[in-house]
Amino acid sequence: MFDDRLATVLRMTALGQAGQPTQFRQLLDLLGTLREEQATSPLGTDGFARLAELRQLIAPEEQVRILRESGLRLRNPQLVALLVEGEPRIGAAAMATARLTEAQWLDLIPRLPISSRGFLRHRRDLPASANALLARLGVGDLVLGDASHDTRSAPTAQAAPA
């Protein structure tokens, strides 16, 4: 059976400022579940183009809020890759929300910007192979150690002249 939900959402382009977040959420959900061949179809391409337009019109804080809503189905690696481009807060929300297969993570991680790979270090549900790949790519915890135990950064005391 043909699913025309994406076509229906795309027909609603004159929503005005109040309807843009709703269409953004709908597109995230629909594009987030497309298979690869659907994502590259003319309708899928139109969906991604409209989402790109909406990303320019909707405040980053609103995009982050929408991305963090429960029930959002973000399972398309092409969409995840698109969302991590640009604003770091949006990329962090997309990395936290994405639910990809092991093979999809392994394919996507090397193509992600370095900053986006760093967001993945907070995920506890990644496959071991994805964590191993992140480690090979040099993505670890970026928290600084305790400087009081690091003699390289500790100031040296100098004796006062007598």
Side-chain angles (χ1 to χ4, degrees), residues 36-60:
E36 187 176 341
E37 64 274 6
Q38 293 171 314
T40 57
S41 72
L43 189 58
T45 301
D46 289 347
F48 278 99
R50 179 62 182 152
L51 186 72
E53 290 172 17
L54 291 170
R55 289 183 70 203
Q56 301 300 314
L57 301 171
I58 299 171

Side-chain angles (χ1 to χ4, degrees), residues 6-20:
L6 183 55
T8 300
V9 170
L10 289 173
R11 279 194 296 270
M12 300 183 295
T13 56
L15 297 171
Q17 195 170 13
Q20 291 169 350

Side-chain angles (χ1 to χ4, degrees), residues 145-151 153-154:
D146 183 357
S148 65
H149 297 296
D150 186 353
T151 58
S153 62

Side-chain angles (χ1 to χ4, degrees), residues 55 79-88 90-92 94-95 112-113 115-116 119:
R55 289 183 70 203
L79 179 58
V80 175
L82 174 72
L83 292 169
V84 300
E85 294 175 1
E87 178 70 40
I90 297 168
M95 291 286 95
L112 290 172
S115 60
S116 296
F119 296 134

Side-chain angles (χ1 to χ4, degrees), residues 68-84:
R68 294 199 181 271
E69 286 178 1
S70 65
L72 182 66
R73 300 174 300 169
L74 195 51
R75 298 182 201 132
N76 181 305
Q78 180 183 346
L79 179 58
V80 175
L82 174 72
L83 292 169
V84 300

